[in-house]
Amino acid sequence: EEKDENNMPKDPLLLILLHLFICQTYSKSAIRNLPSFALGLSPLNLALIPAFYDTKSTGDRNQRTKMASNQDAEAYHSMISASVDFTDIYVRNGYVSATRSVRDIDTNSRRSFLYSIPLPPANSDSPPTILPPTELPTKIKARIQSQSGSKIAILVEENIPSIGGTPECKRNVFEIWADQGHRLANRIVLPSDKHGPVCTDFAWFGGINWSPDESTLVYCAEINNPKTESFFGSSTTDDNGKIMTGEQFTLGVGKSEDWGEKYGTTALLALFCVNVETGKIGAVKNVPGSSLLNNPKSMDGGYVLGQPVFSPCGKCIVYTGWDAGGGGEMPRRLGAIYCFHRPCKIYSSPVSKLLSRLSVPEMSEKGQGEKTSDDGDCVCITPNDRLARSPRFSNPTTEKEAKMAYLCNTKGFDTHGGCMALRVCDWDTSNGTVMKGTETDVVDLVALPGERPNDTAEVAGIKFPGLFLNQLPDGCFSPDGKYISATTEWGSVTRAIVISLADGSVLPINFNLLDSDNSANFSSQRFICFTEDGGAVVAQSEVNRPTLLGYLPSSFLDAKTSVVKSKLLANLSPLSSTSSSSVGALPKFQPGIDYVYKVFNILPNHGDVKVPVGCVLMVPENSENAKLPMIVVPHGGPHTCMSTSFFPSYGFLCKHGRYAILHVNFRGSTGFGQASLESLAGNAGSLDVLDVVSATQSVIDMGIADPDRIGVCGGSHGGFLAGHLIGQNPGLFKVAAMRNPCTNIASMVTATDIPDWCYVETLGSGIYNFSKFRPPSKDELNIMWEKSPIAHIEHAKAPTLIALGMKDRRVPPSQGLEYFHALRAKNVPSKLLIYEDCDHALDKVVNEADFWINTKRWFDDHLRKK
């Protein structure tokens, strides 16, 4: 064909066909960004193309939008269906029982599936054959296997329908299954007049445990509120003075003072024992705050008692008690979830006589079993520690001794997370007490990585940073009582470790369930439990691979720094999260292939504490030599850590959106030493911002990220940083997505369930007086405002998506609303997502999916097309 000077056809008909092809193929914004010579058009004709584009039918455009939405939905569905989230794992009788939680978009809920996985024979290297899982009914709230494996206690929540005018209600029932779970031996209804719901929050307050002889369960449950009625109530009796008239709306009487976000139904927990044969139930009354168990007139003060375990002798119950006002350090109950600095101590209560009374079938429940216990007073094992929790026992090491371990921090910390010490002592099994003078801090607090002289092991370029864990595993002691195995945050990696009780050495367990030589292994790994033969069950996941289960032989305890030969137990298949027919057929997620990742550290020049800033970078496959649009993700907290574990939401953005994803563990994160963590206190909005900018610039300098297409996505404190980044660095961060962001600390401090956070992060440690709650001063409010994103709102110009859970008590939704309206008033492109039934986490299944798909589309519209 005859061509012009731009090598384009001169034939008018061919040129018109080319114009039509362009209009059909490209979006308006893409056409406008193309130079006219590339299209063979004059500037005038080029300007007419968008007008022609707009004449295309609305139906066609809607159809393309629907197709894109279906593709996004299918891609998200593919990622979350592949996710493997275990909620409970234990080993008995040669089998691993693992409960997997699966999102169900159709019902906006989670389903639970139970897998039974045989442990492999010693001479076999192939994974065992796994039978299909069994779905657990939603009414099952907990499954507790006895140590021998001969009994299983199942806690069931039953709905009792309305009968004869009585209101519909719920009740808890313990089902006791004997003969290794084959025979239902007893059903024990837990009477509502004894206590409220059983606490099944095993990640923090809760705990249900068997006695050594497997005759009794100890559990924690809500203390019932005092009985109240209206001034116009119809009661003809005061029930011996127990009914309080006109107090049904009084805080501490008819209304409970709870523990904030996620704990709106938790006020005070007490300990109870149930004999699984007689079915008799008794309260453990020789505890701190016991007066509230005896006809309480008020729910003020007291203690929350949880994490109970029996001592190896069975004579005592050892547990954690959180100060709820009774200890003088909590004049107001502050938010508990993710707040690991709430004052707590470990106590021991003798229970021999209580257990004896519960074991006698013919004794009336209104007899001696209900009187104040005469077992003797409780003992505080950790009187000098501000923080002490997670008691664990070894098997008896001699005829009269066992070992007890727990986490502690004598001074405590003001930040909501921090480093813990591991303390071990000897337990006298004959007297049921700690042997005086045997307490030893096997692993002390660590200020900076590598400060312990004998710590040479490194994980992702970081020497041992101290213990950053919330609880010790059940059964953390090795069979011989010489080691403790646990899981800790170690830099940007979660790592299974072995602690020697002889010399306090801490070593990572070197294994890789997919690669025998363990080369360049940055996967996150967890110690689950010991097996009967002294081996261990472990879990492993990576940024681009869901959780695997594996087995380590008993030799792993002696491996030191060498690689342990592991065996893969389970690589579970995806479980579909929806039956929707609207999703199209896209390629399924391919673990380890669809995107890759790298872990690296940078050492910025700014800041007083010189500790590496950890980074985890995700890059889609086949993106070599391409400068990618990048989404920077600062984590929430701020005293948490983003590890190399599998998170399907970020995999969705990386694989399907083809974005580079940069996670930044700025100073203040856990896993980098206590000094690094505390350096952020008083410097929020500056030190963390500079760290994120430095990490972002480092990826740009690598040639991976396009400096003109950088976005930021974060929730909570991550949303706080997103607001700061688009306000302080508007030329670098072009687009933002925020979940429940903190935007104005001055207006948040009197509305949040954690006002101490507002003081500590803006004013520094040692400022907030936990024993004397008070509102902020005028000067303090000024500082809080100055360190908030709202102080930089005049410079913000990035299109911003904000998602709010309207039941959020951690960061009130007014924070995001304030910021949204401020942006909209400046004509900054903004979008607000409102989730009426969600709290801070936005973890309702449907709302979570809606947010991440909206987030991907927001970045597509405002970042990818730049």
Side-chain angles (χ1 to χ4, degrees):
E1 295 292 339
E2 187 179 358
K3 307 290 179 66
D4 62 13
E5 65 275 11
N6 289 322
N7 201 34
M8 300 296 289
K10 286 186 175 181
D11 188 311
L13 179 59
L14 290 176
L15 194 57
I16 290 172
L17 291 174
L18 176 62
H19 297 177
L20 294 174
F21 170 76
I22 292 169
C23 293
Q24 181 68 30
T25 306
Y26 296 96
S27 67
K28 281 193 296 182
S29 59
I31 292 171
R32 286 177 176 139
N33 289 332
L34 289 173
S36 60
F37 70 81
L39 304 177
L41 304 173
S42 69
L44 178 60
N45 289 338
L46 179 65
L48 293 176
I49 283 184
F52 175 84
Y53 178 93
D54 284 337
T55 65
K56 298 181 70 179
S57 72
T58 301
D60 289 344
R61 291 198 300 275
N62 290 344
Q63 183 64 26
R64 286 197 302 275
T65 301
K66 178 63 176 175
M67 289 175 60
S69 298
N70 288 349
Q71 289 178 343
D72 288 337
E74 171 61 23
Y76 180 81
H77 167 243
S78 174
M79 295 301 298
I80 63 171
S81 297
S83 184
V84 179
D85 303 324
F86 289 116
T87 58
D88 181 39
I89 305 174
Y90 59 85
V91 176
R92 295 292 187 276
N93 303 318
Y95 282 82
V96 179
S97 293
T99 303
R100 177 183 179 182
S101 175
V102 177
R103 295 171 177 85
D104 186 349
I105 294 176
D106 299 345
T107 62
N108 194 22
S109 63
R110 278 183 173 264
R111 301 165 67 186
S112 293
F113 293 87
L114 180 64
Y115 292 81
S116 185
I117 305 166
L119 289 172
N123 57 356
S124 173
D125 290 329
S126 59
T129 301
I130 304 174
L131 296 176
T134 300
E135 183 168 8
L136 297 176
T138 56
K139 67 179 183 178
I140 293 180
K141 301 304 177 183
R143 300 175 76 254
I144 311 298
Q145 187 100 23
S146 68
Q147 187 61 37
S148 70
S150 63
K151 296 178 182 177
I152 303 176
I154 299 179
L155 179 66
V156 178
E157 183 180 79
E158 297 181 340
N159 291 315
I160 306 303
S162 174
I163 300 176
T166 60
E168 182 178 335
C169 63
K170 296 181 178 181
R171 70 180 184 186
N172 287 152
V173 178
F174 272 122
E175 291 187 351
I176 309 302
W177 292 77
D179 301 339
Q180 298 183 352
H182 291 89
R183 176 172 62 90
L184 178 56
N186 204 354
R187 272 178 50 89
I188 306 167
V189 177
L190 305 183
S192 59
D193 61 344
K194 278 190 177 294
H195 57 67
V198 175
C199 180
T200 55
D201 167 37
F202 300 121
W204 195 235
F205 286 141
I208 305 173
N209 274 288
W210 285 91
S211 61
D213 64 1
E214 301 184 0
S215 67
T216 307
L217 290 167
V218 61
Y219 61 95
C220 49
E222 282 285 333
I223 297 177
N224 288 327
N225 278 16
K227 295 181 179 180
T228 62
E229 69 174 3
S230 164
F231 287 114
F232 306 96
S234 58
S235 288
T236 57
T237 174
D238 65 355
D239 194 14
N240 295 322
K242 293 182 180 180
I243 297 179
M244 304 180 69
T245 302
E247 300 289 349
Q248 69 268 40
F249 302 114
T250 301
L251 184 66
V253 186
K255 299 294 182 181
S256 298
E257 183 179 6
D258 57 45
W259 291 85
E261 177 75 15
K262 293 290 188 185
Y263 287 109
T265 60
T266 300
L268 291 174
L269 298 175
L271 302 181
F272 298 86
C273 290
V274 55
N275 186 288
V276 299
E277 296 175 1
T278 66
K280 293 181 59 178
I281 301 167
V284 182
K285 295 188 176 182
N286 51 338
V287 295
S290 59
S291 61
L292 292 175
L293 289 169
N294 302 313
N295 187 23
K297 295 291 185 180
S298 170
M299 300 294 283
D300 290 337
Y303 295 81
V304 168
L305 308 181
Q307 302 180 350
V309 294
F310 277 97
S311 62
C313 55
K315 298 176 181 179
C316 295
I317 293 172
V318 180
Y319 51 94
T320 304
W322 284 265
D323 184 357
E329 296 190 78
M330 291 289 285
R332 169 191 170 182
R333 292 174 197 164
L334 302 175
I337 192 167
Y338 311 128
C339 294
F340 306 113
H341 61 316
R342 301 300 179 222
C344 54
K345 301 181 186 297
I346 294 178
Y347 299 86
S348 172
S349 295
V351 291
S352 296
K353 294 182 180 180
L354 171 63
L355 300 185
S356 177
R357 289 194 294 270
L358 297 180
S359 67
V360 180
E362 63 272 15
M363 187 173 293
S364 168
E365 288 195 1
K366 294 185 178 180
Q368 298 182 31
E370 290 300 301
K371 294 181 179 179
T372 302
S373 173
D374 54 0
D375 271 305
D377 295 334
C378 66
V379 175
C380 181
I381 295 175
T382 60
N384 300 319
D385 296 315
R386 180 173 175 82
L387 303 178
R389 60 176 184 262
S390 192
R392 299 290 186 265
F393 285 98
S394 72
N395 294 324
T397 53
T398 68
E399 185 178 345
K400 295 184 177 181
E401 289 183 17
K403 291 189 179 297
M404 174 183 169
Y406 54 91
L407 301 173
C408 64
N409 188 312
T410 299
K411 180 183 175 182
F413 39 79
D414 288 356
T415 51
H416 66 85
C419 188
M420 300 295 287
L422 174 67
R423 185 171 297 162
V424 177
C425 57
D426 292 334
W427 183 270
D428 187 336
T429 57
S430 59
N431 296 320
T433 59
V434 171
M435 300 176 69
K436 292 184 178 181
T438 63
E439 299 91 342
T440 303
D441 285 354
V442 175
V443 181
D444 209 338
L445 306 179
V446 176
L448 296 171
E451 72 175 12
R452 301 201 325 166
N454 297 323
D455 287 337
T456 58
E458 290 188 2
V459 174
I462 302 292
K463 291 187 177 180
F464 178 60
L467 293 176
F468 289 89
L469 68 167
N470 304 326
Q471 287 203 55
L472 294 168
D474 293 332
C476 60
F477 280 92
S478 61
D480 60 9
K482 295 180 179 180
Y483 298 92
I484 284 178
S485 288
T487 305
T488 186
E489 292 170 345
W490 193 319
S492 298
V493 178
T494 301
R495 191 47 56 97
I497 58 174
V498 170
I499 302 169
S500 169
L501 302 189
D503 60 12
S505 61
V506 180
L507 292 173
I509 306 174
N510 289 315
F511 69 92
N512 191 336
L513 297 180
L514 297 173
D515 183 1
S516 59
D517 66 7
N518 202 44
S519 58
N521 182 14
F522 296 120
S523 60
S524 282
Q525 300 169 334
R526 290 188 296 134
F527 172 84
I528 304 299
C529 60
F530 282 98
T531 59
E532 289 96 334
D533 63 357
V537 174
V538 292
Q540 174 177 307
S541 75
E542 296 182 73
V543 172
N544 57 359
R545 189 180 298 275
T547 301
L548 310 170
L549 279 184
Y551 168 81
L552 306 181
S554 58
S555 59
F556 83 92
L557 292 170
D558 302 318
K560 303 301 181 185
T561 58
S562 60
V563 177
V564 178
K565 184 178 180 181
S566 58
K567 296 182 180 181
L568 179 65
L569 290 179
N571 182 3
L572 300 182
S573 300
L575 294 180
S576 179
S577 297
T578 180
S579 61
S580 173
S581 60
S582 65
V583 294
L586 290 181
K588 299 299 182 183
F589 171 57
Q590 303 175 87
I593 298 176
D594 287 336
Y595 52 92
V596 297
Y597 72 99
K598 66 181 296 185
V599 180
F600 63 96
N601 302 314
I602 63 171
L603 191 61
N605 293 324
H606 58 270
D608 295 331
V609 179
K610 303 302 182 183
V611 172
V613 171
C615 303
V616 180
L617 177 65
M618 305 166 58
V619 179
E621 64 170 340
N622 301 324
S623 58
E624 298 82 0
N625 304 319
K627 288 192 174 183
L628 298 167
M630 184 169 73
I631 302 173
V632 180
V633 184
H635 59 71
H639 307 298
T640 58
C641 180
M642 190 64 183
S643 74
T644 55
S645 299
F646 179 75
F647 291 92
S649 51
Y650 297 115
F652 165 68
L653 294 177
C654 184
K655 168 181 160 47
H656 187 57
R658 297 197 63 79
Y659 295 101
I661 307 293
L662 176 63
H663 297 286
V664 183
N665 289 315
F666 45 83
R667 276 168 287 188
S669 302
T670 51
F672 293 83
Q674 186 66 13
S676 173
L677 186 148
E678 292 184 339
S679 69
L680 183 59
N683 294 306
S686 54
L687 178 63
D688 43 5
V689 170
L690 291 173
D691 282 355
V692 174
V693 172
S694 296
T696 303
Q697 190 60 52
S698 70
V699 180
I700 293 174
D701 294 342
M702 293 176 191
I704 296 174
D706 183 346
D708 293 324
R709 294 188 294 170
I710 304 294
V712 59
C713 175
S716 192
H717 189 85
F720 168 86
L721 287 177
H724 269 297
L725 291 166
I726 64 174
Q728 295 188 40
N729 298 271
L732 180 58
F733 296 94
K734 304 296 198 307
V735 186
M738 308 176 181
R739 304 185 310 280
N740 287 323
C742 168
T743 63
N744 186 347
I745 301 177
S747 62
M748 171 178 156
V749 64
T750 56
T752 176
D753 67 334
I754 51 168
D756 55 312
W757 181 94
C758 300
Y759 288 84
V760 172
E761 303 305 334
T762 59
L763 305 175
S765 296
I767 301 298
Y768 185 80
N769 189 337
F770 286 85
S771 63
K772 294 182 180 179
F773 174 76
R774 64 168 179 82
S777 68
K778 177 182 176 181
D779 291 340
E780 290 170 338
L781 288 172
N782 285 336
I783 295 173
M784 291 177 184
W785 185 88
E786 290 170 354
K787 296 190 175 183
S788 299
I790 202 69
H792 305 280
I793 191 68
E794 62 183 276
H795 304 297
K797 58 183 180 182
T800 301
L801 172 71
I802 299 176
L804 301 179
M806 302 309 287
K807 292 184 177 180
D808 189 350
R809 298 177 61 185
R810 180 62 40 102
V811 179
S814 57
Q815 291 284 297
L817 287 171
E818 178 181 347
Y819 200 75
F820 169 76
H821 288 301
L823 288 175
R824 193 168 65 169
K826 287 164 44 68
N827 293 319
V828 175
S830 307
K831 182 175 181 178
L832 182 65
L833 302 175
I834 297 175
Y835 302 114
E836 297 286 354
D837 59 343
C838 263
D839 53 23
H840 190 59
L842 296 187
D843 55 2
K844 295 281 187 180
V845 173
V846 168
N847 296 342
E848 178 192 39
D850 181 84
F851 169 76
W852 286 110
I853 294 175
N854 262 298
T855 296
K856 187 257 178 190
R857 297 176 69 81
W858 186 258
F859 284 115
D860 287 350
D861 290 342
H862 297 283
L863 188 63
R864 177 166 293 285
K865 295 178 182 178
K866 280 189 174 294

